[in-house]
Amino acid sequence: MNSQSLWGPSGRALRAVRGYPRRAPLTLAYVCLLLAGHVWIDQVLSADRAATVLGHLSTNLENLQDHPVTALLGSVLFFDGTLTDVTSTEFVGTLITFGLGVCCFLAWAEHRWGKRRAVAVFLGGHVAATLLTAVVITTALRQGWYPTAVRQALDYGVSYGAQTVLAIGTLALPRRGRLPWAAFVLAWPLGGAEWTGGPLPDFTTIGHLTAAALGFGLLSVPAFRRQRVRATAPSSAADGSGPHLAALAEPTSPAAGAKTPPSH
């Protein structure tokens, strides 16, 4: 048994963490910003001031009509969840959206496609899912399926963008794991769905399912089935950054000048 096998998964995980800033610098900066924002809202501001800030940045109908750009962009500077109450269902949601969605799969998207396309997927999913959900809310209010208080509901965070990245991140998995993962991405929002008597679940469940549908839809776009060309690909694959990340760094010929399809 060689020394590499003695390390096993823990060694690969350690090397992946060590190489994280190089592979996904923008995601790392965003994670730090989200953590700083969470501490600021949770620990620094008073409860009333925090409620005022988040209320202004909420992507509810009234804010989308009054200051849509501020609400859409400001709402992704914070995540709705907890990092301390580990026994709560909110912590599970934090692990999925912030932990898996942002820290893992957004970093994977940045490494695979580069900063611009990763931001386009994440922010595009957030904005599109929010606006489409607003259309659903407006229709549901007209039909009497939602209470009128929904117009001022508190709705902020990274979860729609994270859900889009989780869905398109199906490409990061081996083929045998893609169907179970897709089922998980669709199922977890339904686990906490609330029904108010109408034919629709709560609007946040609608938003998460919409964001997932957007991400799965991108799987059929050829540009998202190819990885970017990186001159440092051989060294990336050799740094032991984990099987799925190493597969994203396949060596390419500098003279080829063309993107290569993923191996899985």
Side-chain angles (χ1 to χ4, degrees):
M1 180 180 295
N2 56 36
S3 59
Q4 185 175 0
S5 62
L6 289 174
W7 278 93
S10 61
R12 291 194 295 272
L14 182 62
R15 289 191 293 273
V17 171
R18 186 177 59 190
Y20 192 98
R22 175 175 54 80
R23 291 194 308 272
L26 185 62
T27 300
L28 178 60
Y30 183 46
V31 168
C32 293
L33 179 63
L34 288 173
L35 290 174
H38 186 74
V39 171
W40 181 61
I41 286 291
D42 216 35
Q43 303 295 329
V44 177
L45 296 183
S46 66
D48 290 342
R49 181 59 178 162
T52 300
V53 171
L54 295 178
H56 184 71
L57 299 178
S58 175
T59 53
N60 55 44
L61 289 185
E62 288 202 349
N63 285 351
L64 288 176
Q65 292 172 353
D66 183 64
H67 49 275
V69 176
T70 300
L72 286 168
L73 297 183
S75 62
V76 291
L77 298 179
F78 305 95
F79 63 89
D80 182 16
T82 178
L83 293 173
T84 55
D85 190 3
V86 297
T87 60
S88 66
T89 56
E90 284 189 357
F91 184 72
V92 176
T94 301
L95 285 179
I96 295 172
T97 58
F98 178 68
L100 288 176
V102 177
C103 297
C104 295
F105 279 89
L106 182 57
W108 166 84
E110 180 183 352
H111 178 70
R112 182 181 178 93
W113 296 307
K115 297 179 180 65
R116 291 183 180 179
R117 197 169 294 179
V119 170
V121 171
F122 183 85
L123 193 58
H126 164 73
V127 171
T130 299
L131 295 180
L132 290 172
T133 302
V135 174
V136 173
I137 293 173
T138 302
T139 303
L141 285 170
R142 290 172 180 170
Q143 299 297 325
W145 297 336
Y146 285 163
T148 56
V150 168
R151 294 186 60 87
Q152 299 89 27
L154 188 63
D155 183 28
Y156 68 94
V158 301
S159 60
Y160 291 174
Q163 186 78 344
T164 304
V165 175
L166 286 171
I168 198 172
T170 304
L171 286 173
L173 304 177
R175 291 188 182 277
R176 64 180 178 275
R178 292 179 181 179
L179 185 58
W181 176 255
F184 166 75
V185 171
L186 291 172
W188 85 264
L190 291 170
E194 297 179 1
W195 301 81
T196 57
L200 298 177
D202 61 282
F203 70 90
T204 57
T205 300
I206 297 290
H208 285 104
L209 294 177
T210 301
L214 292 169
F216 288 131
L218 290 175
L219 293 176
S220 62
V221 178
F224 287 102
R225 301 192 65 84
R226 298 189 297 266
Q227 66 187 67
R228 62 173 178 167
V229 174
R230 288 183 295 272
T232 57
S235 61
S236 300
D239 70 357
S241 55
H244 66 287
L245 288 179
L248 303 180
E250 298 157 336
T252 56
S253 170
K259 297 179 180 179
T260 57
S263 59
H264 41 264

